[in-house]
Amino acid sequence: MSQAWERLEDRMAALRRRNLLAAGVRAFFGARGYAEVETPYAVVAPGEEVHLRAVRAGARYLNTSPEFAMKKLLAGGSGPIFQLARVWRDEPWSDTHAPEFTMLEWYSLRAGMGVLMDETEALLRAVLPPVVECRGVRTSLEHFERVSVAEAFARYAGADVLGTAEDAPALAAQAGVVLREGEDWEDLFFRLLLERVEPRLGRERPTFLTHFPVAQAALARRDPADARVAERFELFVCGIELANAFVELTDADEQRARFVAERARRHALYGPDWEMDEGFLSAVAKLPPCAGIALGFDRLAMLATGALRIRDVLWLPG
């Protein structure tokens, strides 16, 4: 079987387009006054998500996101920043995921969800053609739609996801599915999201899926207008999940409480792991009002080139 480097010629056109894409991204943020930063790849704490699968590197871990480090810079007074960061997730290869990949992450000061969505639209229009086609789906970038999670569940799953919060049997009954053994509300939420909702998003036009239930807030702020939801959105283009964004939580006490709960669940499932990043929690207390977004750069390259597999836009797939 031939090696990836032996087939490099087959990928060179896509790889040259990838380079142009990176240059376009840097030009876009440079023109808007963002500073490009670099943060460590080996970290003490790679994150606190319940199902996070980090890769150990000696006494540290390879970072799964530059988020903690970039927020420390924001707390220190960096101003608006962006990064094309190498990140690692101990997850299997698929056509749209590589265990080692490049994440474009940026933070805008004093921005809400609307401002950040506007900026994301402007970025995609600046670096991609007006119509993109990938994996058999053709999407126009002329108009982006914005749909809340509640609206999407009502439309595609026939369920009131906020009205049934934490009530798995009620959510199952409304969605017309059988609750699986041991399946709690959050498990069912993600099953319906993956099976009923996400396959309908970002096809004819890009879709921002907004206002996630507060149980999926992660590092996002609660919506001041509706405490049941968080100021979080995801973006889908050509049916592919491209980005995840938050209006950032700046309450260190609430962030600590969330981490404690997530750590307890993660340790119950997978056993003990890393220490909590106290430096990050200290930074949260000094974080200026901001919004941040993480966008899969390799997936963006797939959209730019029409590649069928993420391997086709990587210089040397692992």
Side-chain angles (χ1 to χ4, degrees):
M1 187 168 109
S2 62
Q3 301 295 314
W5 58 267
E6 294 178 300
R7 302 189 303 276
L8 184 60
E9 185 176 351
D10 297 338
R11 303 199 310 280
M12 280 306 301
L15 295 172
R16 291 190 182 99
R17 180 67 179 89
R18 178 191 176 100
N19 281 0
L20 291 173
L21 188 64
V25 164
R26 289 187 164 100
F28 177 87
F29 286 109
R32 289 176 172 241
Y34 282 75
E36 183 172 6
V37 300
E38 295 179 86
T39 55
Y41 288 165
V43 297
V44 174
E48 293 295 353
E49 298 169 32
V50 173
H51 302 293
L52 193 65
R53 309 299 291 173
V55 178
R56 183 181 284 275
R60 299 196 169 207
Y61 293 85
L62 297 177
N63 71 329
T64 58
S65 164
E67 181 171 8
F68 284 15
M70 292 181 76
K71 286 182 178 177
K72 291 174 183 177
L73 294 177
L74 290 162
S78 66
I81 54 177
F82 80 98
Q83 181 172 188
L84 284 163
R86 205 69 171 173
V87 297
W88 290 259
R89 307 276 175 92
D90 189 12
E91 299 166 347
W93 280 90
S94 74
D95 287 345
T96 57
H97 175 74
E100 178 183 354
F101 61 98
T102 300
M103 180 180 289
L104 167 61
E105 188 153 332
W106 76 90
Y107 290 84
S108 178
L109 300 188
R110 293 174 294 280
M113 282 205 303
V115 170
L116 190 57
M117 286 189 279
D118 288 345
E119 187 168 58
T120 305
E121 290 186 20
L123 170 67
L124 264 60
R125 292 192 179 110
V127 300
L128 295 177
V131 177
V132 290
E133 186 168 355
C134 187
R135 298 177 57 78
V137 180
R138 185 178 175 86
T139 301
S140 169
L141 303 185
E142 183 178 2
H143 299 294
F144 287 60
E145 66 174 344
R146 302 180 182 186
V147 180
S148 72
V149 169
E151 292 169 337
F153 266 74
R155 186 182 303 172
Y156 303 124
D160 180 358
V161 73
L162 299 180
T164 60
E166 305 307 324
D167 187 343
L171 179 58
Q174 289 190 14
V177 299
V178 176
L179 197 61
R180 295 170 179 169
E181 184 177 354
E183 190 173 41
D184 62 16
W185 183 90
E186 187 172 38
D187 294 332
L188 179 57
F189 170 85
F190 282 113
R191 173 155 67 104
L192 294 172
L193 183 69
L194 292 172
E195 294 179 358
R196 301 269 188 93
V197 177
E198 289 189 356
R200 311 291 291 275
L201 304 179
R203 303 188 76 81
E204 290 185 5
R205 63 184 63 84
T207 303
F208 289 107
L209 184 66
T210 72
H211 298 91
F212 278 68
V214 73
Q216 279 76 50
L219 286 84
R221 185 178 73 173
R222 291 174 185 259
D223 187 341
D226 187 347
R228 299 175 302 169
V229 298
E231 292 183 299
R232 172 186 175 186
F233 68 80
E234 292 182 350
L235 172 62
F236 295 80
V237 183
C238 286
I240 297 170
E241 181 187 336
L242 185 63
N244 184 32
F246 306 142
V247 175
E248 304 299 340
L249 180 63
T250 57
D251 183 328
D253 292 335
E254 182 176 350
Q255 188 65 80
R256 181 182 293 276
R258 292 186 192 179
F259 279 179
V260 168
E262 289 170 345
R263 290 171 66 83
R265 290 186 59 203
R266 190 174 70 247
H267 293 170
L269 290 169
Y270 307 114
D273 44 41
W274 48 86
E275 297 296 320
M276 194 179 296
D277 189 339
E278 294 292 342
F280 171 72
L281 290 170
S282 296
V284 169
K286 298 179 180 179
L287 198 63
C290 61
I293 181 167
L295 185 150
F297 181 76
D298 306 307
R299 292 181 181 182
L300 188 66
M302 290 179 67
L303 297 177
T305 62
L308 294 176
R309 305 175 305 162
I310 200 167
R311 289 178 181 270
D312 297 332
V313 296
L314 302 179
W315 277 94
L316 195 64

